[in-house]
Amino acid sequence: MKTLREYKVVGRLLPSAKNPAPPLYRMRIFAPNHVVAKSRFWYFVSQLRKMKKASGEIVYCGLVHEKSPLKVKNFGIWLRYDSRSGTHNMYREYRDLTTSGAVTQCYRDMGARHRARAHAIQIMKVQIIPANKCRRPAIKQFHVTELYRAALQQKHIRRFQRCAKLRLSQVRRTFWCLSVAAKILTCCGWLLRCSFWLLGLLVQVKPGT
Amino acid sequence: YYYSVFKRFVEIGRVAFVAFGPYEGKLVAIVDVIDQNRALVDGPCTGVKRQALPFKCLQLTDYVIKVPHSARQKYVRRAWEKAEINKKWEESSWAKKIEARKKRATMSDFDRYKVMTAKKMRNKIIKHEVKKLQKAAAQKKA
């Protein structure tokens, strides 16, 4: 699957007699390749500073690799997008292994939920959020603060045997159940079941009047 | 009282069988859940690098290893070897059925002939015994 890549782009105005040492500006750009990254750099920088491609130069444009691609992280993404009737700010949260993966998810999500095309979206800030600072319930439900068990219901497994070599098995449907009442910090499944049994007992024995 | 139709749950440490994809046929442990569709999965003893796999290609097994969430590969390997998952898997009927299917798929005509004659011999013996028991039962009635 094609994901965006994170680029670090550093650029400055061309040095002139009036301005012999112009300041460097760095941006984090999420783009499919370095050509688009440089283009987006100029797009943003000319919005923010009096600098354009004709009067400036890109000093550095390099790919940024993910520091911990095997750790699941919560990303908070601040963005600005144009809808049909106006432009709005948004804060969205995603769970992913890499920053560029989260930003790609964001673009797809914005397209799906708000019909916002990529050209109408500006990513303002991407930050890794610790679990306790997450605001969205859809992201918080995956935090291991409570023991959750999910049932992977395989409704129908169909095996295709096209030829003797190829064997393809597909899961028809998955079903995700969350045990919402399991707010008990244990690691053992049987303890969980015991506690639920106890709860059942408590419910039966109604408090006396 | 809470009871569930489901017996195998997606949980940290659950061993899953990869049904399709580049790691088809291998066992992995679910180390963390990324979101609704993906799990961070690791199979140090089965040759699967730590990565995100979609739940769609995972089939849950009965085995769970004791591992804290997002544990390093070293600890997943340790827990896997302690629980002897590979040995348990080889002995399970699931793995045996897969093995049998593979064997059947690579049978030559001679192998099929051998199977046919073996089946014939077995059925002959069974029918012989059945006939004896039927005869004995009929004689008892008379």
Side-chain angles (χ1 to χ4, degrees), chain A residues 54-97:
Chain A
S55 63
E57 60 180 358
I58 285 185
V59 168
Y60 171 82
C61 172
L63 192 60
V64 176
H65 296 287
E66 179 64 35
K67 274 210 180 80
S68 49
L70 297 175
K71 200 165 88 147
V72 186
K73 300 176 274 286
N74 310 293
F75 291 95
I77 299 181
W78 285 257
L79 50 89
R80 171 193 149 144
Y81 85 104
D82 296 328
S83 69
R84 290 179 191 146
S85 3
T87 153
H88 316 270
N89 292 329
M90 266 193 179
Y91 167 72
R92 305 185 75 81
E93 282 178 5
Y94 298 97
R95 243 174 102 78
D96 205 298
L97 296 172

Side-chain angles (χ1 to χ4, degrees), chain A residues 98-129:
Chain A
T98 61
T99 329
S100 29
V103 171
T104 310
Q105 256 188 295
C106 180
Y107 274 101
R108 305 280 183 266
D109 196 36
M110 288 299 291
R113 297 212 143 90
H114 302 279
R115 305 311 194 229
R117 275 79 194 179
H119 66 84
I121 297 172
Q122 296 182 0
I123 305 286
M124 295 193 289
K125 183 162 91 164
V126 181
Q127 202 182 34
I128 295 171
I129 311 272

Side-chain angles (χ1 to χ4, degrees), chain A residues 136-178:
Chain A
R136 301 294 182 247
I139 299 301
K140 293 213 295 214
Q141 71 178 342
F142 294 104
H143 294 154
V144 192
T145 48
E146 45 189 77
L147 182 71
Y148 59 79
R149 301 177 96 200
L152 199 74
Q153 182 186 2
Q154 293 170 342
K155 205 55 191 227
H156 180 61
I157 301 173
R158 197 187 287 148
R159 292 194 180 280
F160 294 103
Q161 196 167 8
R162 304 232 179 248
C163 58
K165 283 183 284 181
L166 199 73
R167 177 162 301 220
L168 182 74
S169 56
Q170 277 191 324
V171 175
R172 188 98 177 271
R173 212 177 85 182
T174 52
F175 189 77
W176 176 272
C177 295
L178 276 172

